[in-house]
Amino acid sequence: MPRDLSGADALLRDVFGYDAFRPGQGEIVDAVANGADVLAIMPTGGGKSLCFQLPALMRPGLTVVISPLIALMRDQVRGLREAGVAAGALTSGNTPEENDAVFDALHAGDLKLLYLAPERLASGGTARLLAQSDVHLIAVDEAHCVSQWGHDFRPDYLRIGALRRELDVPVAAFTATADEETRAEIIERLFPGTAPQVFLRGFDRPNIHLAFAPKDSPRKQILTYAAARKGQSGIVYCGTRAKTETLAQALRAEGHAARAYHGGMEAEDRRAVETAFAQEDGLIVVATVAFGMGVDKPDIRWVAHADLPKSIEAYYQEIGRAGRDGGPAETLTLYGADDIRLRRAQIDEGLASAERRGADHGRLNALLGLAEAQSCRRATLLGYFGETLEAPCGHCDLCDRPPETFDGTEAVRKALSAALRTGEHFGAGHLIDILRGNDTDKVRQRRHDQLPTFGVGKDLSQSQWQGVFRQIMGFDLMRPDPERHGALVMTDRALPILKGQEAIRLRRDVVDRRAVRAQPKALVSEEDAPLLSALKAKRRALAEAASVPAYVIFNDRTLIEMAETRPQSLDDMAGISGVGAKKLDRYGADFLAVIAGEAEALHPARRKLAGRAAGSLYDRLLEAQAALVRGPDGTDKPLSCSASQLAKIAEARPGSDDALARYLDDKRHERFAAAFLDVLTDAA
């Protein structure tokens, strides 16, 4: 049913096409719109952008948005313009003509949102320009970039505090990844001397399926995973630049559209990949973490890690790029002992303080605990962020197939003993040879075949021992020592197990190709799939014609709702989530033609009222008019009101004869006033 809207609700519906806020959005929008300083930590895909875009339309003057990547800014500006919002960006990627258009709009006072990269703040000209531009709010996207310890640190983010003082306006800062330490640093840098309202929203993304798997022919694992999701947009994260190239090539050889992306590429080549990923359906980008923050594509259906991420926060942020439209999405993370050794070495060999290295090891430990979890992964992940899950999620690999475990206490004690008896100077490979009683040259040369531990582990196979050592490192019972060329050294955590004071259960590594779901969940039913494909084809054609990413037209979630509900009129179409007034006017008829065969012919004045109470009132006024076109007896000269007249009456709802007379000349007032007032009175 059409409904009248006011304030934030009206803008949410008419501009952005949504009937309701997502959980937690409404109160953040209210706080920002009311001029409060705000720090909001929201999950990736939780709708952060709306929390500053909507208040920008509610507040007077200009909102300046500090955003870290050109691609992200350009996509958001395109999306806002498609929705009818006056937005612009000043970036190094602009043409002179684009910059001139933004400057002209600024000087004319026509812009509501201006996007800037933080590096622009280093220019005195930018500060002078903003001082003259009636700025009423600064919004900071990806606010964790202000943290000097974060891997996304951008030094120019430190200039935002000075800009805030100079303009004397409120700041609204948003991020998806901020532990307690980073939150404190954001507040110190962006809100010195003030206490912002802090909104910490739930970290759960229930639409994302979580899965980990030990490496076992990892290239084949990735190719198998991608094959089951052919035609869906995905990201594969790799630990090295070289691997992105070789894996992208392997995917192309299997018939996938795949592109590599890493920091060693020319800037122009990186931009070409970013543009292709935004605009094409079904492209796979194989990337290092250089392909990160600027990914704003809402319909990424899967994210795979070919190598272990550096921390649990990095993992959360990277998988969070999937399913931002709320639709089903899947993830797979591969890991092995070599990954753990590499990540430990990167921390230990870094230049950070001992305290910081300890914190980084803790973050890695949390990720390894998630990788080696023996029950619901989502519960483990949310537990790290201080949230609890009342019951297993039913939407992770461990809920799908609970792992087989065994009492690993004795195996762990044997492994620890072998390391200690060899002076903690060797890695897992040599220790496994000792435990299994393998008569190698290295074992004999060091007389390790004379140790009490030689051959005590023959009950486990080579691969089983590799699984034991991987879990030993995963539980941080032993660490590779960079000063001893990666030799495994026991940690204090292992002492209670070595002394027989604690027991430990390990997962049994079972090579089971079914452990990772071969077939993803379908986006729509088999019956609706052909229509969804047709709608996507129409979207692609319109996007190519407008030179914008496909999701700027409509995202997948909106097309799925169209395919499932099959709206038969523009009024029906206006009720689809994501279809705002501007997009309805611009694209509604095109998509309705795909669904219903042909679009209804509505006058533009009526089309603008689609989905609103004024729309149905317009229709009733039109009916009343039709009965009187030739007068009450049907014998008079034809007379009618224009569509724009009827639209104005439907919107204004005049409640008296005098008020109605302002919209009608004498002839039309005489013929239609009484009938129109009856309609207006009934609708009141």
Side-chain angles (χ1 to χ4, degrees), residues 625-637 671:
Q625 173 180 268
L628 294 170
V629 167
R630 287 187 171 273
D633 299 326
T635 57
D636 295 335
K637 185 178 179 180
R671 183 171 295 189

Side-chain angles (χ1 to χ4, degrees), residues 173-366:
F174 300 85
T175 182
T177 50
D179 56 19
E180 194 169 336
E181 181 183 24
T182 306
R183 288 201 296 272
E185 193 170 358
I186 292 172
I187 291 171
E188 177 188 349
R189 303 286 183 190
L190 298 185
F191 305 96
T194 64
Q197 289 189 42
V198 178
F199 296 88
L200 184 58
R201 291 293 158 250
F203 285 87
D204 193 14
R205 295 283 305 285
N207 62 311
I208 299 179
H209 185 275
L210 308 179
F212 281 70
K215 287 185 176 179
D216 176 39
S217 302
R219 177 181 292 194
K220 184 177 180 182
Q221 287 172 289
I222 294 293
L223 293 176
T224 300
Y225 192 76
R229 291 151 184 82
K230 197 161 190 176
Q232 294 185 1
S233 297
I235 302 174
V236 181
Y237 281 110
C238 299
T240 66
R241 295 174 177 180
K243 187 179 282 189
T244 67
E245 300 280 1
T246 57
L247 191 49
Q249 186 175 0
L251 284 163
R252 288 194 294 271
E254 295 285 322
H256 297 277
R259 306 275 289 273
Y261 184 104
H262 56 74
M265 295 166 57
E266 295 293 334
E268 186 176 339
D269 294 334
R270 291 201 305 273
R271 280 196 294 272
V273 176
E274 291 166 0
T275 301
F277 190 59
Q279 295 186 351
E280 295 178 22
D281 284 330
L283 182 64
I284 300 171
V285 173
V286 187
T288 61
V289 293
F291 190 69
M293 272 187 316
V295 180
D296 200 32
K297 185 178 174 71
D299 56 352
I300 299 168
R301 297 271 67 89
W302 58 273
V303 171
H305 284 91
D307 300 297
L308 187 74
K310 66 180 292 186
S311 69
I312 196 163
E313 285 90 354
Y315 166 78
Y316 177 80
Q317 188 177 47
E318 287 153 18
I319 65 165
R321 289 168 189 137
R324 295 178 64 154
D325 57 2
E330 303 212 303
T331 66
L332 170 65
T333 301
L334 302 180
Y335 67 105
D338 287 344
D339 292 300
I340 301 172
R341 279 190 285 268
L342 173 64
R343 292 305 186 193
R344 293 283 188 212
Q346 287 173 336
I347 295 170
D348 289 328
E349 294 169 7
L351 301 177
S353 66
E355 181 183 5
R356 185 69 194 189
R357 288 199 300 272
D360 288 343
H361 276 301
R363 292 186 174 96
L364 178 58
N365 285 345

Side-chain angles (χ1 to χ4, degrees), residues 604-650:
R606 170 61 179 89
R607 192 160 59 233
K608 289 179 180 178
L609 302 180
R612 297 163 53 188
S616 60
L617 188 53
Y618 176 105
D619 294 340
R620 292 172 62 190
L621 291 170
L622 194 63
E623 289 176 15
Q625 173 180 268
L628 294 170
V629 167
R630 287 187 171 273
D633 299 326
T635 57
D636 295 335
K637 185 178 179 180
L639 184 67
S640 64
C641 301
S642 69
S644 60
Q645 278 180 298
L646 292 180
K648 289 176 182 177
I649 294 169

Side-chain angles (χ1 to χ4, degrees), residues 397-463:
D397 57 336
L398 298 181
C399 285
D400 295 341
R401 298 175 62 83
E404 183 182 344
T405 65
F406 67 99
D407 184 347
T409 309
E410 193 60 31
V412 170
R413 292 181 69 188
K414 289 176 181 178
L416 294 172
S417 177
L420 291 171
R421 290 180 182 276
T422 55
E424 297 180 305
H425 281 287
F426 299 93
H430 183 66
L431 296 176
I432 290 172
D433 283 337
I434 294 171
L435 291 164
R436 293 212 3 99
N438 295 335
D439 188 20
T440 68
D441 290 343
K442 188 174 180 179
V443 168
R444 284 196 308 276
Q445 287 168 5
R446 289 163 176 76
R447 300 178 59 83
H448 289 164
D449 54 343
Q450 306 299 314
L451 294 174
T453 48
F454 184 75
V456 298
K458 289 183 177 179
D459 55 321
L460 297 181
S461 68
Q462 180 87 5
S463 63

Side-chain angles (χ1 to χ4, degrees), residues 328-663:
E330 303 212 303
T331 66
L332 170 65
T333 301
L334 302 180
Y335 67 105
D338 287 344
D339 292 300
I340 301 172
R341 279 190 285 268
L342 173 64
R343 292 305 186 193
R344 293 283 188 212
Q346 287 173 336
I347 295 170
D348 289 328
E349 294 169 7
L351 301 177
S353 66
E355 181 183 5
R356 185 69 194 189
R357 288 199 300 272
D360 288 343
H361 276 301
R363 292 186 174 96
L364 178 58
N365 285 345
L367 179 60
L368 295 172
L370 179 64
E372 300 293 2
Q374 298 175 10
S375 59
C376 179
R377 289 202 198 277
R378 183 165 272 102
T380 303
L381 178 61
L382 294 179
Y384 174 79
F385 291 111
E387 297 182 22
T388 57
L389 202 63
E390 293 183 3
C393 72
H395 199 48
C396 70
D397 57 336
L398 298 181
C399 285
D400 295 341
R401 298 175 62 83
E404 183 182 344
T405 65
F406 67 99
D407 184 347
T409 309
E410 193 60 31
V412 170
R413 292 181 69 188
K414 289 176 181 178
L416 294 172
S417 177
L420 291 171
R421 290 180 182 276
T422 55
E424 297 180 305
H425 281 287
F426 299 93
H430 183 66
L431 296 176
I432 290 172
D433 283 337
I434 294 171
L435 291 164
R436 293 212 3 99
N438 295 335
D439 188 20
T440 68
D441 290 343
K442 188 174 180 179
V443 168
R444 284 196 308 276
Q445 287 168 5
R446 289 163 176 76
R447 300 178 59 83
H448 289 164
D449 54 343
Q450 306 299 314
L451 294 174
T453 48
F454 184 75
V456 298
K458 289 183 177 179
D459 55 321
L460 297 181
S461 68
Q462 180 87 5
S463 63
Q464 286 173 325
W465 271 115
Q466 287 170 346
V468 169
F469 272 95
R470 190 198 70 244
Q471 292 179 75
I472 284 174
M473 287 190 280
F475 289 126
D476 201 21
L477 305 178
M478 300 178 83
R479 286 186 187 179
D481 185 347
E483 295 182 2
R484 303 186 190 189
H485 307 289
L488 291 176
V489 176
M490 190 177 75
T491 69
D492 290 342
R493 286 188 179 198
L495 284 172
I497 297 173
L498 184 66
K499 294 177 179 179
Q501 296 167 347
E502 288 183 6
I504 185 170
R505 294 197 69 79
L506 300 179
R507 293 194 314 166
R508 196 180 303 280
D509 280 354
V510 179
V511 179
D512 185 351
R513 305 304 179 200
R514 298 170 300 165
V516 176
R517 296 196 305 183
Q519 198 59 40
K521 182 179 178 182
L523 296 178
V524 294
S525 68
E526 189 175 343
E527 178 186 357
D528 295 328
L531 178 55
L532 179 60
S533 295
L535 292 169
K536 283 188 171 184
K538 171 58 69 175
R539 178 181 66 178
R540 186 163 55 251
L542 291 170
E544 289 173 358
S547 298
V548 298
Y551 61 80
V552 167
I553 306 294
F554 290 125
N555 66 34
D556 273 8
R557 192 64 179 251
T558 298
L559 296 191
I560 289 168
E561 190 175 339
M562 288 183 192
E564 291 176 338
T565 61
R566 299 177 184 247
Q568 296 299 301
S569 68
L570 286 176
D571 282 331
D572 293 341
M573 183 73 81
I576 300 291
S577 180
V579 182
K582 189 77 173 181
K583 289 189 177 183
L584 180 72
D585 185 46
R586 189 172 295 173
Y587 304 119
D590 290 317
F591 285 89
L592 195 64
V594 174
I595 298 165
E598 63 179 58
E600 57 178 330
L602 279 187
H603 190 281
R606 170 61 179 89
R607 192 160 59 233
K608 289 179 180 178
L609 302 180
R612 297 163 53 188
S616 60
L617 188 53
Y618 176 105
D619 294 340
R620 292 172 62 190
L621 291 170
L622 194 63
E623 289 176 15
Q625 173 180 268
L628 294 170
V629 167
R630 287 187 171 273
D633 299 326
T635 57
D636 295 335
K637 185 178 179 180
L639 184 67
S640 64
C641 301
S642 69
S644 60
Q645 278 180 298
L646 292 180
K648 289 176 182 177
I649 294 169
E651 288 193 284
R653 296 189 176 208
S656 67
D657 189 68
D658 288 342
L660 181 59
R662 288 198 290 269
Y663 300 92

